[in-house]
Amino acid sequence: MHKFSILFSLVALVVATACTVKEQEEVLPVLPQYEEFYATIEQPSETTDTKTYADDQFRVLWHADDRITIFNKYTYNQQYAFKGETGDNAGSFSKVAGDEFVTGNDISDIYAVYPYQQSTKISNDGVIAITLPSEQTWVEGSFGAGANTMLSATPDNQLKFRNTGSILAFKLFGSNVQVSSITLRGNNGERIAGSALVTMPVGGTPSLAMQSDATQSITLSCPTLVTIGSSADSCTEFWFVVPPTNFTKGFTITVTCADGSTFAKATDKSISIARNHVNSMAPVEVVLEQPAAVPEYVDLGLPSGLKWATFNIGATKPEEYGDYFAWGETEPKSNYHWSTYKWCNGSSNSLTKYNYDSSYGTVDNKTVLDPEDDAAHVNWGGSWRTPTDAELIELKSNCNWVWTGNYNGTGVTGMIVTSNRAGFTDKSIFLPAAGVRSSQYELQGAWGGYWSASLYTGYQGSAWILAFESSNYVDCAYDLVYLGYSIRPVTE
């Protein structure tokens, strides 16, 4: 990757004028006024430092009306504007008429800051207070105007700007993805925008310290929607300018797309971003979450009239396993254990709901899930719910159960459940052998278990399940409520 630099050679006449500050009795010392600076830009090489922006040949160019601050051996913030056109690599900066900011005090050298901000201040000993932008603008193959803060310190009028930060470039690709913005955030609360103090030794490089009121994220906004490349070979780059930062727990980017959907990509590895480097990340595929599948049901002609869903909660089609739920919980999780179970205080003898024995916790004698604890009802709404143990028995008794090792050519194993009721023998559902979850996935492909909404009262801390395996075994059984099983909803 290229690094970039700008050499600003200042060639101008010094016009000495006497200044006074309104409403002050004292007369300030004579302040030299550089009315115009001429800036030339050093062309890129492998060791170049900075840029305002780059064209497709990586030449360093100016934007029309670029502004810089000059502290001309005095703490006044003086504004200068570029007189050339966008695309020029050299041109004049002229002083902008108007108020000068900060009480005037002598300083020993000339300091310059890009971009100009009225709030930029310098102390008597040359420490500069700046604001790093938390909102940056996407530009193809570069960064936006004003994103890359640069400084220079010199005893004379020859200014060479140096970067305060570095480039973090992300390469994104995806199918029919239009990006409206990307947000970067450190995973350990690192401060990467807003208030900062910079020390800039004459002829040296800047040292930046983020302040306590600095912000923890940067958003890169796209002026118009950006359609990213469709493959890793045609990916689209997005450049952030970030201060030198050690992301101790990695960082996360969140991509916001045209329809408001988002995609997040995180790394948990420690990453150190040094000043004046281009850090290019490996290509990342943006895969947007698909809209939730519309639940469908099959009428198997069961005596109760109950209809069974065609796929599990968390799935979009019959062959997908979907999500796993502890009994009475409505969200999947990564670890299924008594210590993580919602309806106890960390152990099997401290139950807080759905308990009939005081030896095991609070007794409420509830034996069927309340609607608010029913994952089928909470996730799918309407009349969808988890079947009771009696309804599992009805399904078992009124259908033929045949194990398959390759459902519809998908390679997924499980049970094809076909109605044996007159007039409905062409109706069936498929239950994949999704196994069970505890701290890990177990028995996937070899065994299936599906929760009922009914507590099993013969063994404390258990609930009814429908279980089957490749030997064509099918039966209602029970298992511990903290385990993660599939749920196949039903509706009236």
Side-chain angles (χ1 to χ4, degrees):
M1 296 295 295
H2 289 284
K3 294 174 281 183
F4 299 87
S5 68
I6 301 174
L7 174 62
F8 290 80
S9 299
L10 305 179
V11 183
L13 295 177
V14 177
V15 179
T17 62
C19 292
T20 61
V21 177
K22 292 180 181 180
E23 299 180 359
Q24 289 189 359
E25 295 180 0
E26 60 181 315
V27 177
L28 297 176
V30 173
L31 175 63
Q33 295 292 316
Y34 291 93
E35 296 297 337
E36 188 171 286
F37 295 90
Y38 185 77
T40 59
I41 303 177
E42 185 178 36
Q43 290 306 299
S45 70
E46 289 298 320
T47 58
T48 55
D49 300 329
T50 63
K51 69 175 185 178
T52 61
Y53 85 101
D55 66 2
D56 57 3
Q57 298 176 7
F58 290 102
R59 295 177 302 171
V60 179
L61 307 172
W62 284 106
H63 285 95
D65 204 39
D66 265 338
R67 304 289 178 107
I68 60 175
T69 285
I70 299 243
F71 296 108
N72 183 19
K73 295 195 175 183
Y74 226 61
T75 57
Y76 282 128
N77 179 340
Q78 298 178 311
Q79 181 181 178
Y80 285 76
F82 184 56
K83 294 170 64 177
E85 302 294 332
T86 296
D88 291 347
N89 67 349
S92 297
F93 278 80
S94 61
K95 190 172 183 300
V96 176
D99 294 335
E100 296 166 338
F101 301 96
V102 184
T103 302
N105 293 306
D106 288 316
I107 52 178
S108 58
D109 297 294
I110 295 174
Y111 294 83
V113 183
Y114 170 85
Y116 170 82
Q117 291 178 337
Q118 179 179 322
S119 59
T120 300
K121 300 179 181 179
I122 191 168
S123 68
N124 295 341
D125 54 359
V127 177
I128 302 174
I130 61 174
T131 301
L132 300 180
S134 59
E135 296 280 343
Q136 299 179 15
T137 303
W138 180 80
V139 172
E140 185 175 4
S142 185
F143 46 77
N148 187 37
T149 303
M150 304 178 293
L151 276 83
S152 176
T154 176
D156 52 36
N157 62 355
Q158 304 298 309
L159 299 184
K160 184 173 184 179
F161 279 83
R162 299 286 188 182
N163 286 320
T164 60
S166 193
I167 307 303
L168 195 51
F170 295 94
K171 302 175 180 179
L172 305 182
F173 68 96
S175 177
N176 298 318
V177 175
Q178 290 185 308
V179 175
S180 62
S181 68
I182 305 174
T183 298
L184 169 69
R185 181 182 292 271
N187 295 336
N188 199 30
E190 290 83 0
R191 301 185 185 278
I192 56 176
S195 301
L197 294 179
V198 187
T199 55
M200 181 70 194
V202 172
T205 56
S207 177
L208 184 146
M210 303 304 297
Q211 300 302 286
S212 60
D213 61 342
T215 56
Q216 299 177 6
S217 65
I218 298 173
T219 297
L220 185 64
S221 298
C222 305
T224 58
L225 295 175
V226 177
T227 302
I228 62 177
S230 59
S231 69
D233 294 332
S234 62
C235 56
T236 303
E237 285 195 336
F238 295 82
W239 292 26
F240 286 82
V241 182
V242 296
T245 306
N246 184 18
F247 291 104
T248 57
K249 296 182 180 179
F251 52 70
T252 298
I253 59 168
T254 302
V255 179
T256 301
C257 298
D259 60 357
S261 59
T262 60
F263 167 81
K265 179 66 175 181
T267 175
D268 58 4
K269 296 180 179 179
S270 177
I271 298 175
S272 182
I273 306 298
R275 189 195 72 83
N276 197 37
H277 284 75
V278 176
N279 306 270
S280 186
M281 303 294 104
V284 171
E285 183 178 9
V286 177
V287 180
L288 301 177
E289 291 187 6
Q290 297 299 313
V294 177
E296 298 178 350
Y297 63 80
V298 173
D299 184 355
L300 297 168
L302 301 175
S304 67
L306 201 65
K307 283 82 173 174
W308 281 75
T310 58
F311 50 81
N312 296 342
I313 301 176
T316 60
K317 45 193 174 184
E319 63 267 25
E320 292 179 351
Y321 290 165
D323 294 326
Y324 297 78
F325 298 88
W327 190 82
E329 294 186 2
T330 59
E331 296 180 356
K333 54 190 179 182
S334 59
N335 186 24
Y336 296 77
H337 192 269
W338 284 120
S339 62
T340 65
Y341 184 56
K342 180 177 181 179
W343 300 116
C344 75
N345 288 321
S347 66
S348 61
N349 60 0
S350 62
L351 295 171
T352 59
K353 193 173 184 180
Y354 302 109
N355 180 37
Y356 52 85
D357 188 338
S358 60
S359 300
Y360 292 91
T362 303
V363 172
D364 59 7
N365 290 316
K366 289 180 178 287
T367 59
V368 178
L369 288 174
D370 288 333
E372 63 267 25
D373 302 326
D374 185 334
H377 181 70
V378 170
N379 283 273
W380 284 13
S383 62
W384 291 105
R385 59 179 177 81
T386 301
T388 64
D389 59 333
E391 291 162 344
L392 294 182
I393 293 172
E394 180 187 57
L395 181 70
K396 175 180 179 292
S397 302
N398 289 274
C399 294
N400 298 320
W401 295 68
V402 178
W403 177 269
T404 178
N406 187 19
Y407 175 73
N408 279 355
T410 62
V412 178
T413 59
M415 282 287 184
I416 298 176
V417 184
T418 304
S419 175
N420 58 24
R421 305 282 296 177
F424 293 89
T425 55
D426 60 339
K427 304 296 184 182
S428 65
I429 60 173
F430 175 68
L431 299 176
V436 61
R437 284 212 62 185
S438 53
S439 59
Q440 59 187 357
Y441 295 97
E442 299 176 12
L443 301 174
Q444 283 186 322
W447 190 79
Y450 286 75
W451 279 128
S452 77
S454 305
L455 196 69
Y456 177 69
T457 56
Y459 188 86
Q460 187 63 39
S462 298
W464 284 100
I465 62 170
L466 177 68
F468 56 82
E469 59 183 7
S470 58
S471 65
N472 281 323
Y473 164 86
V474 181
D475 206 352
C476 288
Y478 61 89
D479 213 339
L480 296 172
V481 291
Y482 73 78
L483 292 169
Y485 276 110
S486 306
I487 294 178
R488 180 60 64 91
V490 294
T491 188
E492 306 298 336

